[in-house]
């Protein structure tokens, strides 16, 4: 897809270089000044502010603008260039070009929109990455949707993308999970095996225990908790994959934390950090004050293995291996990210909750301490999400507490059952990750224009309906004369051609929510046109009907593409 503003920026730079070569402008490094839409549509489609060059060029902005216009190479998509005070170049897209794009979109479909920003590059998006200790919660659902949308946008930008799920099955939570299932199993055998308060209380483990008892009878009575942990992990991962698949999410790779222990990669990382002078043994970190030292001494702490992360900007050093020889989360996390960089990804995006912010910074410190560049690693941090339900008695929204161990939580499956996969995906995406999200069930199920899911999908549905009726009437858009299209159809096309810029901004800034905002804006342009620009009305001439049918074919392709970028379905009927 040609990004017109980018093409225009390159042409303007070429014009400036030509003016410099001719001595009309002094030599200077040409800064990148973005071409962007003007404040008022009457000023054109794009505007370039030459004011930013006045100091460098030692000329007035108006004079610079005129020089650029005189030297600007021919561009087949421009109809008019206008120099306006105090130094703008206002550019208007040619109507013939817009009509050609309607034809091109109708013919090429989704291929029309492919960008080359990431051509020849590899990207990885690591997302969800929840421990397999229970089903996907509403919090994990936001992570899943944002991560998958980011992967789709990177693919649209030209990257070869891998979707990865990293899971921790070597930590204390999995030990508790195994012991919880073991006790639930013994309960199924009729034993008095009470569940401690810090164990997993959810009913889902009762079902797993019931199935184990039915399959194995009494034979697992003397089995270790590890056997039950492995059984729970297998069942939970099957559940997780099915739940994610229900909202159109699949991962390419599942990375097991225990593999870092089995390969001894964590110890290799520790030794490399030690060799680089960043590891020491102590009961306290080197920057501790007298009070901290006294406290650790009073508690009788044994020496642990510390990483000098403060050397790399961390607020304090971090324990890598506890005094009992057990690694903290930090060591395998650094080992995993070193392995990720070794796999040669040009971009490595991670989606995490804001509670992981400090840990993510420590990992980057570890990567730098190993002599590697952490630049490919970028993190999208998500604020908390909660399900809210209307409480009739209290007359207000009520948040649902979520805890896997207590068993009091809403799952992804619950949300899909109450609403729909498309509603879950859109409403989880259409909010900045930096904002807390209240998932309002009452709102997302509305079949009205108040619900953006319905609003966007209905644009596609309306196009599909036109083509069904056109087929019944044996009307096709072959040999359509697009000169018969009006200003409304061209206005929609102008807006649609901004898709490429939206994708680029979303990818460069890791803001996948931008595509959701854009889709809603474009639907807002489309629906009034649909109400006014009829195809099958008796008063519409056949040739005009054919031209409009071609327009709606392009519009349908555009909305189908946007829905796919968001991982949503494109229904033929609603």
């Amino acid at each position: 897809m040609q990004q017109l503003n980018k093409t225009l920026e390159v042409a303007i730079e070429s014009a400036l270089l030509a003016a410099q070569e001719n001595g009309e402008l002094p030599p200077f490094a040409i800064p990148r000044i973005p071409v962007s839409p003007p404040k008022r549509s009457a000023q054109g489609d794009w505007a370039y502010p030459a004011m930013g060059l006045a100091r460098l060029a030692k000329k007035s902005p108006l004079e610079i603008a005129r020089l650029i216009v005189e030297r600007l190479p021919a561009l087949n998509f421009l109809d008019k260039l206008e120099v306006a005070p105090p130094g703008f170049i206002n550019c208007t897209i040619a109507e013939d070009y817009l009509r050609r794009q309607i034809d091109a979109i109708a013919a090429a479909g989704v291929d029309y929109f492919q960008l080359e920003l990431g051509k020849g590059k590899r990207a990885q998006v690591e997302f969800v990455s929840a421990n397999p200790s229970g089903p996907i919660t509403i919090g994990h659902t936001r992570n899943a949707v944002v991560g998958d949308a980011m992967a789709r946008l990177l693919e649209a930008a030209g990257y070869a993308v891998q979707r990865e799920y990293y899971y921790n099955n070597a930590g204390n939570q999995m030990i508790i999970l195994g012991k919880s299932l073991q006790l639930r199993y013994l309960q199924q055998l009729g034993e008095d095996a009470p569940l401690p308060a810090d164990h997993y209380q959810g009913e889902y483990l009762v079902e797993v225990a019931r199935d184990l008892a039915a399959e194995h009878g009494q034979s697992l009575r003397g089995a270790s908790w590890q056997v039950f942990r492995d059984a729970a992990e297998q069942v939970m991962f099957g559940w997780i994959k099915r739940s994610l698949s229900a909202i159109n999410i699949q991962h390419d790779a599942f990375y097991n934390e225990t593999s870092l222990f089995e390969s001894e990669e964590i110890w290799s990382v520790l030794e490399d950090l030690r060799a680089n002078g960043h590891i020491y043994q102590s009961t306290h970190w080197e920057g501790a004050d007298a009070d901290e030292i006294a406290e650790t001494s009073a508690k009788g702490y044994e020496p642990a293995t510390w990483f000098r992360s403060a050397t790399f900007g961390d607020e304090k050093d971090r324990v890598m291996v506890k005094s009992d020889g057990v690694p903290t989360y930090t060591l395998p996390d650094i080992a995993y990210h070193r392995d990720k960089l070794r796999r040669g990804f040009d971009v490595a995006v991670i989606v995490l909750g804001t509670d992981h912010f400090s840990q993510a910074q420590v990992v980057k410190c570890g990567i730098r301490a190993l002599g590697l560049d952490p630049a490919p690693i970028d993190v999208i941090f998500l604020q908390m999400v909660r399900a809210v339900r209307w409480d009739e008695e209290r007359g207000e929204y009520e948040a649902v507490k979520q805890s896997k161990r207590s068993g009091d939580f809403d799952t992804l499956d619950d949300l899909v059952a109450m609403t729909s996969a498309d509603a879950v995906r859109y409403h989880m995406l259409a909010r900045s990750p930096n904002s807390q999200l209240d998932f309002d069930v009452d709102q997302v199920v509305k079949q009205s224009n108040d619900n953006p899911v319905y609003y966007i999908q209905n644009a596609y549905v309306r196009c599909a309906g036109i083509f069904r009726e056109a087929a019944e009437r044996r009307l096709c858009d072959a040999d359509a004369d697009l000169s018969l299209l009006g200003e409304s159809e061209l206005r929609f096309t102008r807006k649609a051609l901004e898709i490429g810029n939206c994708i680029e901004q979303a990818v460069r800034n890791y803001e996948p929510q931008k595509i959701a905002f854009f889709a809603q804006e474009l639907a807002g342009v489309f629906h009034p046109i649909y109400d006014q620009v009829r195809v099958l009305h008796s008063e519409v001439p056949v040739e005009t009907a054919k031209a409009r049918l071609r327009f709606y074919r392009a519009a349908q392709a555009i909305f189908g593409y946007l829905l796919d970028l968001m991982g949503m379905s494109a229904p033929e009927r609603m």
Side-chain angles (χ1 to χ4, degrees):
M1 179 182 187
Q2 184 181 20
Q3 292 174 262
L4 303 187
N5 61 323
K6 301 295 180 185
T7 304
L8 188 53
E9 287 170 10
V10 171
I12 289 171
E13 182 178 359
S14 176
L16 288 167
L17 288 171
Q20 286 178 331
E21 290 173 5
N22 290 339
E24 296 167 301
L25 289 176
F28 58 85
I30 298 171
R32 181 184 177 273
I33 300 177
V35 171
S36 57
K39 291 183 178 179
R40 297 192 299 274
S41 59
Q43 295 172 322
D45 297 298
W46 301 105
Y48 177 83
M51 293 81 76
L53 299 173
R55 183 181 59 83
L56 295 168
K58 298 180 174 59
K59 289 183 182 293
S60 73
L62 276 174
E63 191 175 355
I64 298 168
R66 291 191 184 102
L67 279 173
I68 292 172
V69 170
E70 290 170 4
R71 296 287 180 182
L72 199 68
L75 297 170
N76 69 347
F77 59 84
L78 288 184
D79 175 50
K80 184 171 65 174
L81 290 170
E82 180 183 53
V83 175
F88 286 102
I89 302 174
N90 294 329
C91 311
T92 302
I93 300 174
E95 291 187 356
D96 284 348
Y97 177 82
L98 294 172
R99 293 186 178 95
R100 290 197 301 274
Q101 302 324 295
I102 291 172
D103 257 341
I105 295 168
V110 298
D111 292 339
Y112 175 90
F113 301 99
Q114 187 65 46
L115 301 183
E116 295 189 352
L117 181 67
K119 186 176 181 180
K121 296 179 181 179
R122 299 175 63 226
Q124 185 202 67
V125 183
E126 179 214 327
F127 60 108
V128 186
S129 296
N131 296 340
S133 55
I136 295 293
T137 66
I138 186 172
H140 298 143
T141 300
R142 188 181 195 187
N143 187 303
V145 170
V146 168
D148 187 60
M150 194 70 248
R152 289 168 183 267
L153 287 161
L154 284 162
E155 287 172 335
Y159 288 88
V161 179
Q162 182 203 52
R163 295 162 170 82
E164 184 156 286
Y165 189 126
Y166 172 79
Y167 61 100
N168 170 8
N169 63 349
N172 189 56
Q173 291 185 59
M174 296 302 291
I175 295 174
I176 294 175
L177 178 69
K179 292 181 177 180
S180 299
L181 180 57
Q182 184 179 37
L183 292 171
R184 288 299 193 189
Y185 168 78
L186 294 175
Q187 290 173 2
Q188 291 296 315
L189 300 184
E191 290 194 18
D192 181 16
L195 210 64
D198 65 343
H199 281 41
Y200 287 89
Q201 307 291 323
E203 284 297 313
Y204 60 93
L205 280 185
V206 175
E207 297 176 16
V208 177
R210 188 180 298 119
D211 291 342
L212 283 177
E215 181 178 355
H216 298 281
Q218 303 273 341
S219 64
L220 298 179
R221 185 183 292 274
S224 68
W225 63 263
Q226 288 93 336
V227 171
F228 291 93
R229 178 200 62 192
D230 293 345
E233 179 182 328
Q234 182 178 2
V235 172
M236 290 302 106
F237 249 125
W239 190 351
I240 288 169
K241 290 178 180 179
R242 288 191 300 273
S243 297
L244 292 175
S245 180
I247 58 170
N248 198 19
I249 293 177
Q250 291 84 32
H251 286 82
D252 303 307
F254 289 82
Y255 197 109
N256 188 331
E257 185 197 16
T258 56
S259 67
L260 296 168
F261 288 80
E262 293 165 356
S263 66
E264 299 192 349
E265 182 66 18
I266 62 166
W267 307 120
S268 171
V269 164
L270 187 64
E271 290 311 307
D272 287 347
L273 289 171
R274 194 188 307 277
N276 290 348
H278 302 305
I279 295 295
Y280 62 94
Q281 303 293 127
S282 178
T283 57
H284 55 270
W285 77 286
E286 290 176 333
D289 58 26
D291 290 340
E292 290 177 283
I293 294 172
E295 182 181 355
T296 57
S297 177
K299 291 182 178 179
Y301 286 163
E302 295 292 323
T305 303
W306 293 78
F307 164 45
R308 290 190 175 95
S309 57
T311 303
F312 300 91
D314 194 10
E315 60 183 358
K316 57 185 274 187
D317 293 347
R318 305 288 174 166
V319 174
M320 296 287 265
V321 182
K322 294 181 286 188
S323 58
D324 60 2
V326 176
T328 63
Y329 287 125
T330 302
L331 184 55
D333 274 359
I334 294 173
Y336 169 57
H337 285 84
R338 179 169 80 166
D339 176 73
K340 185 179 292 192
L341 291 174
R342 284 176 170 175
R343 283 183 270 165
F345 296 109
D346 299 282
V347 172
V349 183
I350 311 162
V351 185
L352 296 172
T354 52
D355 56 325
H356 291 271
F357 180 83
S358 294
Q359 179 69 0
Q361 308 317 306
V362 175
V363 168
K364 287 192 176 184
C365 292
I367 293 299
R368 285 194 288 270
L370 290 167
L372 299 173
D373 182 5
I377 301 173
D378 282 285
V379 183
I380 300 174
F381 289 105
L382 298 176
Q383 288 283 356
M384 185 182 73
V385 57
R386 61 177 186 167
V388 292
R389 294 168 174 163
W390 183 254
D391 188 311
E392 292 288 351
E393 292 184 3
R394 298 171 60 184
E396 61 184 26
Y397 284 105
E398 182 180 51
V400 180
K401 294 181 180 179
Q402 298 173 69
S403 168
K404 283 185 183 178
R405 290 193 190 176
S406 70
D408 179 18
F409 59 90
D410 277 339
T411 68
L412 167 56
D413 296 345
D414 293 333
L415 295 182
V416 172
M418 288 187 290
T419 58
S420 69
D422 291 331
V424 169
R425 288 206 61 136
Y426 185 86
H427 286 279
M428 288 291 178
L429 178 63
R431 190 73 181 266
S432 168
N434 296 322
S435 301
Q436 180 175 307
L437 172 63
D438 284 349
F439 189 92
D440 180 354
V441 174
D442 295 326
Q443 173 66 27
V444 303
V445 297
K446 285 183 179 179
Q447 291 286 307
S448 73
N449 288 339
D450 293 335
N451 183 353
V453 178
Y454 176 86
Y455 195 55
I456 297 165
Q457 287 183 320
N458 195 36
Y460 183 91
V461 169
R462 285 178 149 181
C463 294
I466 288 172
F467 284 102
R468 281 196 303 272
E469 190 172 347
E472 293 174 1
R473 300 189 187 190
R474 300 182 181 277
L475 175 68
C476 71
D477 56 346
D479 302 319
D481 180 3
L482 299 190
S483 68
L484 298 173
L485 294 178
E487 186 277 331
S488 295
E489 298 94 300
L490 300 185
R491 176 162 44 87
F492 173 86
T493 307
R494 280 188 174 89
K495 181 65 178 178
L497 293 183
E498 296 176 19
I499 290 175
N501 294 329
C502 177
I503 293 171
E504 180 179 354
Q505 290 173 16
V507 166
R508 289 194 184 279
N509 301 320
Y510 302 109
E511 296 176 327
Q513 73 274 12
K514 285 187 177 295
I515 200 66
F517 301 157
F518 182 86
Q520 187 174 8
E521 287 176 11
L522 191 62
V525 176
F526 173 83
H527 285 299
I529 294 173
Y530 173 85
D531 292 334
Q532 299 161 10
V533 180
R534 299 295 184 180
V535 175
L536 303 170
H537 195 280
S538 59
E539 295 181 1
V540 177
V542 172
E543 292 304 313
T544 302
K546 289 168 66 174
R548 291 176 176 178
L549 195 61
R550 179 69 56 86
F551 163 75
Y552 283 112
R553 188 177 300 282
Q556 185 180 31
I558 290 165
F559 283 110
Y561 180 67
L562 291 172
L563 288 165
D564 186 66
L565 280 180
M566 295 184 288
M568 296 165 60
S569 66
E572 296 291 314
R573 290 181 170 86
M574 289 181 72

